Amino acid sequence: MRQVLPFTVLILGLVSFFNDLASEMVVPLIPVLLATILAAGPVALGLVEGVADTVASLLKLWSGRHSDLIGGRRKGLTIIGYTISNLARPLIAVVGSWPVLLLVRSIDRMGKGIRTAPRDALLADSTPPERIGFAFGYQRAMDNGGAVLGALVAAAVLHFSGIPFEKVILLSAIPGAIAILLLGGGVHEVRRPPDHKTPTRISLNPHHLSPNIRRYLLTLSLFTLARATETFILLRAYQLGMNVVQVLLLWASIHAAKSSTGVGGGRLADQLGRRPVLFIGWLAYGCNYALFAMVESLPLLWAVALSYGLFFGFSEGAERAQINDLTTADERGTAFGWYNLATGISAIPAGLLFGWIWEEVGAPYAFGFSACIAIAAATLLATWVYRSTPWRPS
């Protein structure tokens, strides 16, 4: 029987699509903006993206917990978050220095921090348990699909119109507004039973989490230390001779690869369990970064980037679905907040360390370092995280 996702989940996917369309008209241009107009290097890029992601992650924990404490009413926080991002992001077009870029990018990611955990919990609230992996895989596929179109739109506008890329950044406000309108008019929250009692206090003490989820979040934090911002791939491409339009096409291709495997990976995680899908994805991440360390030509860079995208998209849905498996409905927002905190708390050291290694000894060593960390995290996932559970679901 063909699986069908709830209407709210389908609309949330479209919201992600248009929001990422707006975002990815901007994000792949940030390394070029830093390297040209703002005259900054890899360390500045790592600091901008690392601080922005960490700000987002800290807010995700607060917003997820707050959505639980107000009775699972998650839509309002989600709208606020998307609105902040789509008001701040176009301002990147007018920044005059990299510290100002850091501030504007942090406000953009602040919006992401407010919306992400409530949105993920809202998606999980609206989905039958047996389709959770499918739902998150679909959401990530739509997210990456929007990234593909965003980069392609930016590349087309730059190539055919000849306008400066700062004006392309301003145009990102249009799909951002569409995302907000879709969210406001098309998403409906799940009604709680009349006798449901909203928790009045939800602990943020990590020791109150189950042992499995604590081990999972610690290992995820280690893996995130390897997962430095993907804009470093674009910076490497730019250094190897790609022009701005080609960089945008590379970015679009990476996200197209992610989108093509997102739904299939989510469905496979429902059938086989999250652990094998995550292990394959994380191990492939490490292997692809090891290959990035050896890349010295653009054709090989293209090949490795596409392989990276395919395997990354394959495991994205399982990564989020695993959080849903390890929590209850009343604490779902808080659990997704902890997940997002874990994936972001390492963002500043990851970005700075990657950028510092790049500047001190070269890009191959930075990619090689990340490869080693990712493979270590995959090994911990396989041997330590689920010590008392089988690889396959019963």
Side-chain angles (χ1 to χ4, degrees):
M1 183 178 176
R2 186 179 178 184
Q3 289 184 322
V4 179
L5 292 172
F7 181 76
T8 289
V9 174
L10 296 175
I11 296 298
L12 284 171
L14 286 173
V15 171
S16 290
F17 177 87
F18 281 103
N19 184 73
D20 250 57
L21 195 164
S23 178
E24 303 310 323
M25 289 175 66
V26 178
V27 172
L29 295 174
I30 289 176
V32 181
L33 181 68
L34 281 165
T36 55
I37 296 174
L38 303 183
V43 170
L45 176 61
L47 185 63
V48 167
E49 293 299 296
V51 169
D53 283 341
T54 299
V55 167
S57 298
L58 293 171
L59 280 170
K60 287 170 187 175
L61 179 57
W62 171 84
S63 64
R65 177 175 181 265
H66 188 67
S67 74
D68 287 334
L69 290 174
I70 59 176
R73 298 194 301 276
R74 317 191 195 272
K75 181 178 173 179
L77 286 168
T78 308
I79 291 175
I80 290 169
Y82 276 112
T83 301
I84 290 173
S85 289
N86 285 290
L87 289 175
R89 193 183 302 121
L91 298 178
I92 291 174
V94 297
V95 300
S97 65
W98 73 260
V100 178
L101 173 63
L102 187 153
L103 174 63
V104 175
R105 182 74 170 133
S106 295
I107 295 172
D108 171 11
R109 303 301 278 183
M110 182 174 71
K112 182 177 177 66
I114 292 172
R115 73 177 180 256
T116 300
R119 182 208 61 201
D120 287 348
L122 177 58
L123 186 147
D125 289 343
S126 306
T127 307
E130 68 276 9
R131 298 180 193 170
I132 289 291
F134 180 20
F136 279 108
Y138 161 77
Q139 191 271 330
R140 296 306 304 155
M142 293 296 286
D143 192 89
N144 288 314
V148 173
L149 188 57
L152 290 177
V153 167
V157 172
L158 285 170
H159 181 72
F160 292 110
S161 73
I163 67 173
F165 63 75
E166 296 97 317
K167 291 187 178 180
V168 175
I169 293 173
L170 289 172
L171 290 174
S172 69
I174 297 172
I178 294 173
I180 295 168
L181 292 172
L182 277 171
L183 179 61
V187 171
H188 303 284
E189 293 176 309
V190 176
R191 292 185 178 181
R192 299 295 175 96
D195 58 348
H196 178 79
K197 293 183 179 180
T198 299
T200 57
R201 184 177 183 275
I202 296 175
S203 175
L204 288 180
N205 187 338
H207 293 290
H208 293 169
L209 300 171
S210 72
N212 272 354
I213 199 169
R214 287 203 304 270
R215 288 194 291 266
Y216 177 57
L217 292 176
L218 285 170
T219 306
L220 193 62
S221 297
L222 177 64
F223 179 66
T224 304
L225 190 62
R227 198 159 59 187
T229 172
E230 292 173 345
T231 49
F232 280 117
I233 299 173
L234 303 187
L235 183 60
R236 182 61 174 158
Y238 188 71
Q239 288 186 345
L240 289 176
M242 280 191 185
N243 61 36
V244 176
V245 172
Q246 290 171 331
V247 166
L248 288 167
L249 292 175
L250 175 66
W251 189 252
S253 299
I254 290 172
H255 285 280
K258 288 182 180 181
S259 183
S260 69
T261 55
V263 172
R267 281 180 162 171
L268 197 62
D270 286 336
Q271 296 167 8
L272 299 181
R274 322 301 183 199
R275 185 180 180 187
V277 173
L278 282 171
F279 176 74
I280 292 170
W282 289 14
L283 185 63
Y285 183 101
C287 292
N288 278 299
Y289 259 56
L291 291 173
F292 276 127
M294 297 181 278
V295 164
E296 294 293 339
S297 68
L298 290 180
L300 184 56
L301 179 71
W302 273 98
V304 178
L306 290 174
S307 172
Y308 161 84
L310 289 170
F311 281 103
F312 195 100
F314 173 75
S315 60
E316 278 190 301
E319 194 173 288
R320 286 167 170 77
Q322 182 64 91
I323 296 297
N324 182 76
D325 295 346
L326 299 174
T327 190
T328 64
D330 282 338
E331 296 184 335
R332 188 169 284 145
T334 306
F336 277 109
W338 274 112
Y339 160 75
N340 286 291
L341 179 64
T343 57
I345 201 66
S346 302
I348 288 180
L352 285 176
L353 190 57
F354 196 101
W356 178 80
I357 294 172
W358 185 314
E359 286 200 346
E360 292 298 316
V361 293
Y365 291 93
F367 282 107
F369 171 80
S370 286
C372 292
I373 298 296
I375 292 170
T379 302
L380 280 176
L381 182 77
T383 59
W384 180 63
V385 172
Y386 307 111
R387 291 184 300 188
S388 62
T389 58
W391 274 75
R392 292 174 60 95
S394 57

